[in-house]
Amino acid sequence: MPAIRPASKRKAPPDGFSDIEEDLLIFGNKMKDAQNTPTDNIPKHQAQWPIFQISHQRSRYVYELYYEKEAISRPLYEWLLKNGYADALLIAKWKKQGYEKLCCLRCIQTKETNFNSTCVCRVPRAQLKEDQDVQCVGCGCRGCASTD
Amino acid sequence: MVKSTYQPPPGALLPLSPGWTEHKAPTGHTYYYNAETKESTYQRPGPAPSPINPSMSSYLQHQTVPQVNLSDPAVANAFMAQYVQQQPHTHGQRGGFGPRGRGGFQPRPRPQPRDKPRTKVAIPGCDPWILVYTKYERRFAYNPDKKTSYWRIPEKLMPAILELDQARIRQKAEGKTGEASPEKETSATPAAAPQQPEPEAAQHDYDSSEYEEVEVTDDEDDVGGGLDQDGNPSKRQRTEDPANDGPAEFTEADIAAQLAAMGADYGDMEMGEGEGEGESWEEGDEGLPLSDEDARELFKDLLNDFNINPYSPWEKLVEEGKVFDDARYTVLHTTKARREVWEEWSRAKIQELKERRAKQEKKDPRIPYMALLQEKATPKLYWPEFRRKYKRDEPMKDPKLSDKDREKWYRDHINRLKLPQATLKADLKKLLESVPLSALNNQTVASHLPPQVAGDIRYISLDPKVRDPFIAAYVQGLGPQPEAGEVAEEDEAVKKAREERCKRERALQERERAVAEEKRRQEKKLQYERARLRDEERELERAMQVSKRGLHSQLVEGRAEPGS
């Protein structure tokens, strides 16, 4: 998640940016709030959750605008990726079958876990025990299997 | 925060049916879930025979009770039996409110056609009962005493109505216009009705309301599709019309109210939105849902009406929660369905916006910036100061202009401000002369100068007070718009099309010429061949002419011929 460069220091955005500027600004403000919230009184592993969630939402927003609604042009989409409005690597995963709803890249990184497996949020709801409420440690995801 | 359209009725809620649990949806709506049957619904599942709703009874307190002659013990008993379960303490009140009592019941325009009562006929033999015909040729039985009406004709009335029908058919056959029935309906005010002790009727009333609950289909209302009356006594009571002139009065408005009450039972959720009755209407009280297509369109209308930005994410819509207050939000029952419709809507909307934008002509971004310079730039401000001071202005934020250009133009402009007026005027004249007559001519309006002029630094360096008359004078002196200019301005596409056509025509001519040439050549060849054939024939003929001297002469002749 590279920082978004300030408007004065970057190349001018392509046409159509003004349509989505406001919503991106809302996401940006949310992200700033999340970053500035003190994390003294919450468990350490939960401190990053809101950051991951907002980043996911914003990436999803850009992804849907380009791939599903076809609302923005290719140059604008690329400009958004380049300027850090969306996570290109995460979007690359969403295009793959089985990863359509992936919450974050860390949850499919098998090498980082003790048993070389993906995160619990990748397990389909049908395979979990009845009424088992999961929330993954990495990003607070409650389940992002494609079948859910 | 998230708001909900669902307003729980004040006071105690109905107890939930066993097995049902109450939950809150992420959108803030309350829904109910049955763990056994795995059903979920927005509608509060009450116990089967719906008990008294406290809000309802409080509403009923303000309703007048039809005046009945309670001195007759039998009537009083029947009356009490009818009312006691809904409103145990209200039958003492009378009169008072009149038609105002139903203030909250102003139905909004509905998508489906509205039915209206047309005529009414008293049913002979069953005195208080009236048969009401509606605009759409449906009919229902109405008892003005009890203020009950049934689409399904109660069995008790069947023979009488059959008789009526037969009479009507006979009348029609005889060519009489039915004048008798309107007369009857005016005389149908059964003033003496309450006096009749009719325990049977009262008894029947309960029976019929019971079987009304069971009956869903109706042989009478083939027009109204799935319309039926649900026979819920509390609902029926709520929509009652207070009679101001006693029970005998049976006005058009009264019938209309009955119809509206019936209409409210099927599929019109907007009906119950009145201010007076709002709380007694539960969400999802609409009974039969609207058709799927209608529901989707309604939801799209809602999105349009709230000016939702089609580019915004769904989460924003939910977080803002503006739309929750609108009744149309609950037309679709699941958030998933809503989201689907929203997606469809936003896609279409974005396309529409794109098309509209494509049609709009493009504006030169320099023009507003130049206007800003003209207005705000002074030699007292350096560029960084100027930029900082006016960074909020639209032309300063325009992404189409680069900061470098802006700076350059600013500096140029400031430098030019120091030049003498005569030079500036000369420069402006030069600029105007450089513009072709097709863009600038005597029809040009001062407010719509061509962008070559309005976006130029020389245009703004002169004070408007001096400049505008100068330009006006110059424009006056110009000639009219040249014809050639028009042609030049013609659409590229048209020009291209014309060129294509020319090319095609030329190609066609070429081909025709080639074909003609070929034809001529063929002809020539044919003639040549024919001539040759004739020659050969002639030769053959000559050979055949054998004289008496036999072959010798032939040979001699043949020898002589080459020589000759």
Side-chain angles (χ1 to χ4, degrees), chain A residues 12 15 19 23 26 30 61 68-71, chain B residues 311-313 316 319 342 346-347 350 354 357:
Chain A
D15 279 349
D19 294 329
D23 294 316
I26 291 172
K30 264 193 207 162
Y61 173 61
E68 284 172 16
K69 293 190 198 162
E70 291 165 3
Chain B
Y311 290 97
S312 295
K316 191 183 164 200
E319 264 169 42
W342 167 82
S346 64
R347 202 165 299 170
I350 286 169
K354 259 188 191 168
R357 237 167 257 173

mmCIF file with all atom_site columns, all heavy atoms in Angstrom, chain A residues 12 15 19 23 26 30 61 68-71, chain B residues 311-313 316 319 342 346-347 350 354 357:
data_model
loop_
_atom_site.group_PDB
_atom_site.id
_atom_site.type_symbol
_atom_site.label_atom_id
_atom_site.label_alt_id
_atom_site.label_comp_id
_atom_site.label_asym_id
_atom_site.label_entity_id
_atom_site.label_seq_id
_atom_site.pdbx_PDB_ins_code
_atom_site.Cartn_x
_atom_site.Cartn_y
_atom_site.Cartn_z
_atom_site.occupancy
_atom_site.B_iso_or_equiv
_atom_site.pdbx_formal_charge
_atom_site.auth_seq_id
_atom_site.auth_comp_id
_atom_site.auth_asym_id
_atom_site.auth_atom_id
_atom_site.pdbx_PDB_model_num
ATOM 1   N N   . ALA A 1 12  ? -1.033  14.937 -13.901 1.00 0.00 ? 12  ALA A N   1
ATOM 2   C CA  . ALA A 1 12  ? -2.472  15.206 -13.904 1.00 0.00 ? 12  ALA A CA  1
ATOM 3   C C   . ALA A 1 12  ? -3.243  13.942 -14.257 1.00 0.00 ? 12  ALA A C   1
ATOM 4   O O   . ALA A 1 12  ? -2.831  13.198 -15.137 1.00 0.00 ? 12  ALA A O   1
ATOM 5   C CB  . ALA A 1 12  ? -2.790  16.288 -14.912 1.00 0.00 ? 12  ALA A CB  1
ATOM 6   N N   . ASP A 1 15  ? -8.949  11.987 -17.993 1.00 0.00 ? 15  ASP A N   1
ATOM 7   C CA  . ASP A 1 15  ? -10.357 12.385 -17.942 1.00 0.00 ? 15  ASP A CA  1
ATOM 8   C C   . ASP A 1 15  ? -11.169 11.401 -17.108 1.00 0.00 ? 15  ASP A C   1
ATOM 9   O O   . ASP A 1 15  ? -10.915 10.209 -17.113 1.00 0.00 ? 15  ASP A O   1
ATOM 10  C CB  . ASP A 1 15  ? -10.934 12.406 -19.358 1.00 0.00 ? 15  ASP A CB  1
ATOM 11  C CG  . ASP A 1 15  ? -10.583 13.685 -20.068 1.00 0.00 ? 15  ASP A CG  1
ATOM 12  O OD1 . ASP A 1 15  ? -10.093 14.594 -19.375 1.00 0.00 ? 15  ASP A OD1 1
ATOM 13  O OD2 . ASP A 1 15  ? -10.767 13.755 -21.286 1.00 0.00 ? 15  ASP A OD2 1
ATOM 14  N N   . ASP A 1 19  ? -15.150 12.486 -11.632 1.00 0.00 ? 19  ASP A N   1
ATOM 15  C CA  . ASP A 1 19  ? -16.367 11.757 -11.248 1.00 0.00 ? 19  ASP A CA  1
ATOM 16  C C   . ASP A 1 19  ? -16.172 10.974 -9.958  1.00 0.00 ? 19  ASP A C   1
ATOM 17  O O   . ASP A 1 19  ? -17.084 10.841 -9.159  1.00 0.00 ? 19  ASP A O   1
ATOM 18  C CB  . ASP A 1 19  ? -16.762 10.779 -12.354 1.00 0.00 ? 19  ASP A CB  1
ATOM 19  C CG  . ASP A 1 19  ? -17.174 11.487 -13.616 1.00 0.00 ? 19  ASP A CG  1
ATOM 20  O OD1 . ASP A 1 19  ? -17.715 12.597 -13.492 1.00 0.00 ? 19  ASP A OD1 1
ATOM 21  O OD2 . ASP A 1 19  ? -16.927 10.949 -14.699 1.00 0.00 ? 19  ASP A OD2 1
ATOM 22  N N   . ASP A 1 23  ? -15.470 10.247 -3.992  1.00 0.00 ? 23  ASP A N   1
ATOM 23  C CA  . ASP A 1 23  ? -15.525 8.977  -3.274  1.00 0.00 ? 23  ASP A CA  1
ATOM 24  C C   . ASP A 1 23  ? -14.139 8.522  -2.843  1.00 0.00 ? 23  ASP A C   1
ATOM 25  O O   . ASP A 1 23  ? -13.960 7.968  -1.765  1.00 0.00 ? 23  ASP A O   1
ATOM 26  C CB  . ASP A 1 23  ? -16.181 7.920  -4.142  1.00 0.00 ? 23  ASP A CB  1
ATOM 27  C CG  . ASP A 1 23  ? -17.639 8.243  -4.394  1.00 0.00 ? 23  ASP A CG  1
ATOM 28  O OD1 . ASP A 1 23  ? -18.312 8.629  -3.427  1.00 0.00 ? 23  ASP A OD1 1
ATOM 29  O OD2 . ASP A 1 23  ? -18.079 8.139  -5.543  1.00 0.00 ? 23  ASP A OD2 1
ATOM 30  N N   . ILE A 1 26  ? -13.237 10.333 0.208   1.00 0.00 ? 26  ILE A N   1
ATOM 31  C CA  . ILE A 1 26  ? -13.862 9.757  1.403   1.00 0.00 ? 26  ILE A CA  1
ATOM 32  C C   . ILE A 1 26  ? -13.037 8.574  1.898   1.00 0.00 ? 26  ILE A C   1
ATOM 33  O O   . ILE A 1 26  ? -12.759 8.440  3.092   1.00 0.00 ? 26  ILE A O   1
ATOM 34  C CB  . ILE A 1 26  ? -15.307 9.335  1.086   1.00 0.00 ? 26  ILE A CB  1
ATOM 35  C CG1 . ILE A 1 26  ? -16.166 10.579 0.858   1.00 0.00 ? 26  ILE A CG1 1
ATOM 36  C CG2 . ILE A 1 26  ? -15.877 8.501  2.212   1.00 0.00 ? 26  ILE A CG2 1
ATOM 37  C CD1 . ILE A 1 26  ? -17.541 10.284 0.366   1.00 0.00 ? 26  ILE A CD1 1
ATOM 38  N N   . LYS A 1 30  ? -11.076 8.235  5.441   1.00 0.00 ? 30  LYS A N   1
ATOM 39  C CA  . LYS A 1 30  ? -11.284 7.089  6.326   1.00 0.00 ? 30  LYS A CA  1
ATOM 40  C C   . LYS A 1 30  ? -9.949  6.451  6.675   1.00 0.00 ? 30  LYS A C   1
ATOM 41  O O   . LYS A 1 30  ? -9.709  6.073  7.825   1.00 0.00 ? 30  LYS A O   1
ATOM 42  C CB  . LYS A 1 30  ? -12.144 6.049  5.597   1.00 0.00 ? 30  LYS A CB  1
ATOM 43  C CG  . LYS A 1 30  ? -13.603 6.124  5.917   1.00 0.00 ? 30  LYS A CG  1
ATOM 44  C CD  . LYS A 1 30  ? -14.241 4.853  5.383   1.00 0.00 ? 30  LYS A CD  1
ATOM 45  C CE  . LYS A 1 30  ? -15.680 5.073  5.052   1.00 0.00 ? 30  LYS A CE  1
ATOM 46  N NZ  . LYS A 1 30  ? -16.196 4.027  4.170   1.00 0.00 ? 30  LYS A NZ  1
ATOM 47  N N   . TYR A 1 61  ? -13.473 -0.936 -5.031  1.00 0.00 ? 61  TYR A N   1
ATOM 48  C CA  . TYR A 1 61  ? -14.197 0.152  -5.693  1.00 0.00 ? 61  TYR A CA  1
ATOM 49  C C   . TYR A 1 61  ? -13.622 0.421  -7.082  1.00 0.00 ? 61  TYR A C   1
ATOM 50  O O   . TYR A 1 61  ? -14.339 0.475  -8.083  1.00 0.00 ? 61  TYR A O   1
ATOM 51  C CB  . TYR A 1 61  ? -14.104 1.394  -4.801  1.00 0.00 ? 61  TYR A CB  1
ATOM 52  C CG  . TYR A 1 61  ? -14.661 2.655  -5.400  1.00 0.00 ? 61  TYR A CG  1
ATOM 53  C CD1 . TYR A 1 61  ? -15.993 2.730  -5.763  1.00 0.00 ? 61  TYR A CD1 1
ATOM 54  C CD2 . TYR A 1 61  ? -13.858 3.763  -5.590  1.00 0.00 ? 61  TYR A CD2 1
ATOM 55  C CE1 . TYR A 1 61  ? -16.507 3.884  -6.303  1.00 0.00 ? 61  TYR A CE1 1
ATOM 56  C CE2 . TYR A 1 61  ? -14.362 4.920  -6.128  1.00 0.00 ? 61  TYR A CE2 1
ATOM 57  C CZ  . TYR A 1 61  ? -15.686 4.976  -6.488  1.00 0.00 ? 61  TYR A CZ  1
ATOM 58  O OH  . TYR A 1 61  ? -16.188 6.120  -7.025  1.00 0.00 ? 61  TYR A OH  1
ATOM 59  N N   . GLU A 1 68  ? -16.258 -4.153 -13.896 1.00 0.00 ? 68  GLU A N   1
ATOM 60  C CA  . GLU A 1 68  ? -17.653 -4.565 -13.881 1.00 0.00 ? 68  GLU A CA  1
ATOM 61  C C   . GLU A 1 68  ? -18.576 -3.508 -14.458 1.00 0.00 ? 68  GLU A C   1
ATOM 62  O O   . GLU A 1 68  ? -19.425 -3.803 -15.276 1.00 0.00 ? 68  GLU A O   1
ATOM 63  C CB  . GLU A 1 68  ? -18.064 -4.951 -12.462 1.00 0.00 ? 68  GLU A CB  1
ATOM 64  C CG  . GLU A 1 68  ? -17.499 -6.312 -12.149 1.00 0.00 ? 68  GLU A CG  1
ATOM 65  C CD  . GLU A 1 68  ? -17.679 -6.732 -10.711 1.00 0.00 ? 68  GLU A CD  1
ATOM 66  O OE1 . GLU A 1 68  ? -18.501 -6.121 -10.011 1.00 0.00 ? 68  GLU A OE1 1
ATOM 67  O OE2 . GLU A 1 68  ? -16.975 -7.674 -10.310 1.00 0.00 ? 68  GLU A OE2 1
ATOM 68  N N   . LYS A 1 69  ? -18.399 -2.279 -14.029 1.00 0.00 ? 69  LYS A N   1
ATOM 69  C CA  . LYS A 1 69  ? -19.294 -1.250 -14.560 1.00 0.00 ? 69  LYS A CA  1
ATOM 70  C C   . LYS A 1 69  ? -18.725 -0.597 -15.801 1.00 0.00 ? 69  LYS A C   1
ATOM 71  O O   . LYS A 1 69  ? -19.444 0.091  -16.506 1.00 0.00 ? 69  LYS A O   1
ATOM 72  C CB  . LYS A 1 69  ? -19.524 -0.176 -13.493 1.00 0.00 ? 69  LYS A CB  1
ATOM 73  C CG  . LYS A 1 69  ? -20.290 -0.680 -12.313 1.00 0.00 ? 69  LYS A CG  1
ATOM 74  C CD  . LYS A 1 69  ? -20.683 0.491  -11.451 1.00 0.00 ? 69  LYS A CD  1
ATOM 75  C CE  . LYS A 1 69  ? -21.054 0.057  -10.078 1.00 0.00 ? 69  LYS A CE  1
ATOM 76  N NZ  . LYS A 1 69  ? -21.026 1.165  -9.154  1.00 0.00 ? 69  LYS A NZ  1
ATOM 77  N N   . GLU A 1 70  ? -17.448 -0.782 -16.037 1.00 0.00 ? 70  GLU A N   1
ATOM 78  C CA  . GLU A 1 70  ? -16.787 -0.154 -17.182 1.00 0.00 ? 70  GLU A CA  1
ATOM 79  C C   . GLU A 1 70  ? -17.049 1.348  -17.182 1.00 0.00 ? 70  GLU A C   1
ATOM 80  O O   . GLU A 1 70  ? -17.399 1.942  -18.203 1.00 0.00 ? 70  GLU A O   1
ATOM 81  C CB  . GLU A 1 70  ? -17.265 -0.794 -18.483 1.00 0.00 ? 70  GLU A CB  1
ATOM 82  C CG  . GLU A 1 70  ? -16.758 -2.203 -18.598 1.00 0.00 ? 70  GLU A CG  1
ATOM 83  C CD  . GLU A 1 70  ? -17.476 -3.008 -19.659 1.00 0.00 ? 70  GLU A CD  1
ATOM 84  O OE1 . GLU A 1 70  ? -18.321 -2.435 -20.329 1.00 0.00 ? 70  GLU A OE1 1
ATOM 85  O OE2 . GLU A 1 70  ? -17.174 -4.195 -19.775 1.00 0.00 ? 70  GLU A OE2 1
ATOM 86  N N   . ALA A 1 71  ? -16.897 1.923  -16.022 1.00 0.00 ? 71  ALA A N   1
ATOM 87  C CA  . ALA A 1 71  ? -17.206 3.339  -15.873 1.00 0.00 ? 71  ALA A CA  1
ATOM 88  C C   . ALA A 1 71  ? -15.990 4.219  -16.085 1.00 0.00 ? 71  ALA A C   1
ATOM 89  O O   . ALA A 1 71  ? -16.135 5.412  -16.346 1.00 0.00 ? 71  ALA A O   1
ATOM 90  C CB  . ALA A 1 71  ? -17.783 3.605  -14.490 1.00 0.00 ? 71  ALA A CB  1
ATOM 91  N N   . TYR B 2 311 ? -21.393 6.672  -9.463  1.00 0.00 ? 311 TYR B N   1
ATOM 92  C CA  . TYR B 2 311 ? -20.011 6.223  -9.321  1.00 0.00 ? 311 TYR B CA  1
ATOM 93  C C   . TYR B 2 311 ? -19.697 5.783  -7.893  1.00 0.00 ? 311 TYR B C   1
ATOM 94  O O   . TYR B 2 311 ? -18.701 5.133  -7.656  1.00 0.00 ? 311 TYR B O   1
ATOM 95  C CB  . TYR B 2 311 ? -19.053 7.344  -9.706  1.00 0.00 ? 311 TYR B CB  1
ATOM 96  C CG  . TYR B 2 311 ? -19.051 7.662  -11.180 1.00 0.00 ? 311 TYR B CG  1
ATOM 97  C CD1 . TYR B 2 311 ? -19.800 8.693  -11.693 1.00 0.00 ? 311 TYR B CD1 1
ATOM 98  C CD2 . TYR B 2 311 ? -18.289 6.913  -12.064 1.00 0.00 ? 311 TYR B CD2 1
ATOM 99  C CE1 . TYR B 2 311 ? -19.805 8.982  -13.051 1.00 0.00 ? 311 TYR B CE1 1
ATOM 100 C CE2 . TYR B 2 311 ? -18.273 7.192  -13.415 1.00 0.00 ? 311 TYR B CE2 1
ATOM 101 C CZ  . TYR B 2 311 ? -19.033 8.229  -13.898 1.00 0.00 ? 311 TYR B CZ  1
ATOM 102 O OH  . TYR B 2 311 ? -19.028 8.512  -15.239 1.00 0.00 ? 311 TYR B OH  1
ATOM 103 N N   . SER B 2 312 ? -20.560 6.176  -6.954  1.00 0.00 ? 312 SER B N   1
ATOM 104 C CA  . SER B 2 312 ? -20.258 5.888  -5.546  1.00 0.00 ? 312 SER B CA  1
ATOM 105 C C   . SER B 2 312 ? -20.415 4.416  -5.241  1.00 0.00 ? 312 SER B C   1
ATOM 106 O O   . SER B 2 312 ? -21.223 3.735  -5.869  1.00 0.00 ? 312 SER B O   1
ATOM 107 C CB  . SER B 2 312 ? -21.207 6.668  -4.641  1.00 0.00 ? 312 SER B CB  1
ATOM 108 O OG  . SER B 2 312 ? -20.968 8.021  -4.797  1.00 0.00 ? 312 SER B OG  1
ATOM 109 N N   . PRO B 2 313 ? -19.663 3.930  -4.277  1.00 0.00 ? 313 PRO B N   1
ATOM 110 C CA  . PRO B 2 313 ? -19.812 2.517  -3.907  1.00 0.00 ? 313 PRO B CA  1
ATOM 111 C C   . PRO B 2 313 ? -21.104 2.279  -3.137  1.00 0.00 ? 313 PRO B C   1
ATOM 112 O O   . PRO B 2 313 ? -21.684 3.196  -2.556  1.00 0.00 ? 313 PRO B O   1
ATOM 113 C CB  . PRO B 2 313 ? -18.595 2.258  -3.029  1.00 0.00 ? 313 PRO B CB  1
ATOM 114 C CG  . PRO B 2 313 ? -18.193 3.569  -2.516  1.00 0.00 ? 313 PRO B CG  1
ATOM 115 C CD  . PRO B 2 313 ? -18.591 4.576  -3.535  1.00 0.00 ? 313 PRO B CD  1
ATOM 116 N N   . LYS B 2 316 ? -21.324 3.269  0.543   1.00 0.00 ? 316 LYS B N   1
ATOM 117 C CA  . LYS B 2 316 ? -21.590 4.670  0.880   1.00 0.00 ? 316 LYS B CA  1
ATOM 118 C C   . LYS B 2 316 ? -23.094 4.901  1.007   1.00 0.00 ? 316 LYS B C   1
ATOM 119 O O   . LYS B 2 316 ? -23.568 5.581  1.913   1.00 0.00 ? 316 LYS B O   1
ATOM 120 C CB  . LYS B 2 316 ? -21.013 5.559  -0.218  1.00 0.00 ? 316 LYS B CB  1
ATOM 121 C CG  . LYS B 2 316 ? -20.999 7.018  0.148   1.00 0.00 ? 316 LYS B CG  1
ATOM 122 C CD  . LYS B 2 316 ? -20.479 7.836  -1.004  1.00 0.00 ? 316 LYS B CD  1
ATOM 123 C CE  . LYS B 2 316 ? -20.806 9.277  -0.813  1.00 0.00 ? 316 LYS B CE  1
ATOM 124 N NZ  . LYS B 2 316 ? -20.751 10.010 -2.082  1.00 0.00 ? 316 LYS B NZ  1
ATOM 125 N N   . GLU B 2 319 ? -24.164 3.453  4.256   1.00 0.00 ? 319 GLU B N   1
ATOM 126 C CA  . GLU B 2 319 ? -23.688 4.210  5.415   1.00 0.00 ? 319 GLU B CA  1
ATOM 127 C C   . GLU B 2 319 ? -24.451 5.517  5.594   1.00 0.00 ? 319 GLU B C   1
ATOM 128 O O   . GLU B 2 319 ? -24.784 5.917  6.697   1.00 0.00 ? 319 GLU B O   1
ATOM 129 C CB  . GLU B 2 319 ? -22.203 4.525  5.249   1.00 0.00 ? 319 GLU B CB  1
ATOM 130 C CG  . GLU B 2 319 ? -21.315 3.532  5.954   1.00 0.00 ? 319 GLU B CG  1
ATOM 131 C CD  . GLU B 2 319 ? -19.883 3.721  5.551   1.00 0.00 ? 319 GLU B CD  1
ATOM 132 O OE1 . GLU B 2 319 ? -19.437 4.879  5.454   1.00 0.00 ? 319 GLU B OE1 1
ATOM 133 O OE2 . GLU B 2 319 ? -19.199 2.705  5.342   1.00 0.00 ? 319 GLU B OE2 1
ATOM 134 N N   . TRP B 2 342 ? -29.284 -1.892 -7.765  1.00 0.00 ? 342 TRP B N   1
ATOM 135 C CA  . TRP B 2 342 ? -28.429 -0.702 -7.725  1.00 0.00 ? 342 TRP B CA  1
ATOM 136 C C   . TRP B 2 342 ? -27.329 -0.808 -8.765  1.00 0.00 ? 342 TRP B C   1
ATOM 137 O O   . TRP B 2 342 ? -27.005 0.150  -9.465  1.00 0.00 ? 342 TRP B O   1
ATOM 138 C CB  . TRP B 2 342 ? -27.832 -0.562 -6.324  1.00 0.00 ? 342 TRP B CB  1
ATOM 139 C CG  . TRP B 2 342 ? -26.728 0.427  -6.260  1.00 0.00 ? 342 TRP B CG  1
ATOM 140 C CD1 . TRP B 2 342 ? -26.853 1.775  -6.146  1.00 0.00 ? 342 TRP B CD1 1
ATOM 141 C CD2 . TRP B 2 342 ? -25.321 0.154  -6.314  1.00 0.00 ? 342 TRP B CD2 1
ATOM 142 N NE1 . TRP B 2 342 ? -25.619 2.355  -6.135  1.00 0.00 ? 342 TRP B NE1 1
ATOM 143 C CE2 . TRP B 2 342 ? -24.662 1.387  -6.237  1.00 0.00 ? 342 TRP B CE2 1
ATOM 144 C CE3 . TRP B 2 342 ? -24.572 -1.004 -6.424  1.00 0.00 ? 342 TRP B CE3 1
ATOM 145 C CZ2 . TRP B 2 342 ? -23.284 1.476  -6.265  1.00 0.00 ? 342 TRP B CZ2 1
ATOM 146 C CZ3 . TRP B 2 342 ? -23.202 -0.921 -6.450  1.00 0.00 ? 342 TRP B CZ3 1
ATOM 147 C CH2 . TRP B 2 342 ? -22.568 0.317  -6.378  1.00 0.00 ? 342 TRP B CH2 1
ATOM 148 N N   . SER B 2 346 ? -26.752 1.744  -11.762 1.00 0.00 ? 346 SER B N   1
ATOM 149 C CA  . SER B 2 346 ? -25.565 2.602  -11.857 1.00 0.00 ? 346 SER B CA  1
ATOM 150 C C   . SER B 2 346 ? -24.867 2.388  -13.194 1.00 0.00 ? 346 SER B C   1
ATOM 151 O O   . SER B 2 346 ? -24.356 3.327  -13.790 1.00 0.00 ? 346 SER B O   1
ATOM 152 C CB  . SER B 2 346 ? -24.610 2.345  -10.694 1.00 0.00 ? 346 SER B CB  1
ATOM 153 O OG  . SER B 2 346 ? -24.112 1.048  -10.758 1.00 0.00 ? 346 SER B OG  1
ATOM 154 N N   . ARG B 2 347 ? -24.886 1.148  -13.669 1.00 0.00 ? 347 ARG B N   1
ATOM 155 C CA  . ARG B 2 347 ? -24.248 0.892  -14.957 1.00 0.00 ? 347 ARG B CA  1
ATOM 156 C C   . ARG B 2 347 ? -24.953 1.680  -16.065 1.00 0.00 ? 347 ARG B C   1
ATOM 157 O O   . ARG B 2 347 ? -24.314 2.348  -16.878 1.00 0.00 ? 347 ARG B O   1
ATOM 158 C CB  . ARG B 2 347 ? -24.316 -0.611 -15.251 1.00 0.00 ? 347 ARG B CB  1
ATOM 159 C CG  . ARG B 2 347 ? -23.280 -1.040 -16.222 1.00 0.00 ? 347 ARG B CG  1
ATOM 160 C CD  . ARG B 2 347 ? -23.131 -2.537 -16.221 1.00 0.00 ? 347 ARG B CD  1
ATOM 161 N NE  . ARG B 2 347 ? -22.720 -3.046 -14.923 1.00 0.00 ? 347 ARG B NE  1
ATOM 162 C CZ  . ARG B 2 347 ? -22.707 -4.334 -14.623 1.00 0.00 ? 347 ARG B CZ  1
ATOM 163 N NH1 . ARG B 2 347 ? -23.088 -5.221 -15.498 1.00 0.00 ? 347 ARG B NH1 1
ATOM 164 N NH2 . ARG B 2 347 ? -22.306 -4.743 -13.438 1.00 0.00 ? 347 ARG B NH2 1
ATOM 165 N N   . ILE B 2 350 ? -24.277 5.443  -15.719 1.00 0.00 ? 350 ILE B N   1
ATOM 166 C CA  . ILE B 2 350 ? -22.941 5.864  -16.129 1.00 0.00 ? 350 ILE B CA  1
ATOM 167 C C   . ILE B 2 350 ? -22.865 5.925  -17.649 1.00 0.00 ? 350 ILE B C   1
ATOM 168 O O   . ILE B 2 350 ? -22.295 6.860  -18.220 1.00 0.00 ? 350 ILE B O   1
ATOM 169 C CB  . ILE B 2 350 ? -21.885 4.907  -15.548 1.00 0.00 ? 350 ILE B CB  1
ATOM 170 C CG1 . ILE B 2 350 ? -21.715 5.165  -14.059 1.00 0.00 ? 350 ILE B CG1 1
ATOM 171 C CG2 . ILE B 2 350 ? -20.561 5.067  -16.248 1.00 0.00 ? 350 ILE B CG2 1
ATOM 172 C CD1 . ILE B 2 350 ? -20.918 4.132  -13.344 1.00 0.00 ? 350 ILE B CD1 1
ATOM 173 N N   . LYS B 2 354 ? -22.030 9.179  -19.881 1.00 0.00 ? 354 LYS B N   1
ATOM 174 C CA  . LYS B 2 354 ? -20.950 9.161  -20.869 1.00 0.00 ? 354 LYS B CA  1
ATOM 175 C C   . LYS B 2 354 ? -21.440 9.693  -22.201 1.00 0.00 ? 354 LYS B C   1
ATOM 176 O O   . LYS B 2 354 ? -20.772 10.504 -22.838 1.00 0.00 ? 354 LYS B O   1
ATOM 177 C CB  . LYS B 2 354 ? -20.456 7.722  -21.058 1.00 0.00 ? 354 LYS B CB  1
ATOM 178 C CG  . LYS B 2 354 ? -19.182 7.399  -20.333 1.00 0.00 ? 354 LYS B CG  1
ATOM 179 C CD  . LYS B 2 354 ? -18.730 6.035  -20.776 1.00 0.00 ? 354 LYS B CD  1
ATOM 180 C CE  . LYS B 2 354 ? -17.620 5.523  -19.902 1.00 0.00 ? 354 LYS B CE  1
ATOM 181 N NZ  . LYS B 2 354 ? -17.359 4.112  -20.142 1.00 0.00 ? 354 LYS B NZ  1
ATOM 182 N N   . ARG B 2 357 ? -22.014 13.363 -22.149 1.00 0.00 ? 357 ARG B N   1
ATOM 183 C CA  . ARG B 2 357 ? -20.770 14.122 -22.157 1.00 0.00 ? 357 ARG B CA  1
ATOM 184 C C   . ARG B 2 357 ? -20.139 14.141 -23.550 1.00 0.00 ? 357 ARG B C   1
ATOM 185 O O   . ARG B 2 357 ? -19.554 15.122 -23.968 1.00 0.00 ? 357 ARG B O   1
ATOM 186 C CB  . ARG B 2 357 ? -19.787 13.506 -21.158 1.00 0.00 ? 357 ARG B CB  1
ATOM 187 C CG  . ARG B 2 357 ? -19.345 14.511 -20.150 1.00 0.00 ? 357 ARG B CG  1
ATOM 188 C CD  . ARG B 2 357 ? -18.645 13.833 -19.024 1.00 0.00 ? 357 ARG B CD  1
ATOM 189 N NE  . ARG B 2 357 ? -19.523 13.744 -17.871 1.00 0.00 ? 357 ARG B NE  1
ATOM 190 C CZ  . ARG B 2 357 ? -19.214 13.071 -16.788 1.00 0.00 ? 357 ARG B CZ  1
ATOM 191 N NH1 . ARG B 2 357 ? -18.081 12.401 -16.721 1.00 0.00 ? 357 ARG B NH1 1
ATOM 192 N NH2 . ARG B 2 357 ? -20.021 13.060 -15.773 1.00 0.00 ? 357 ARG B NH2 1
#
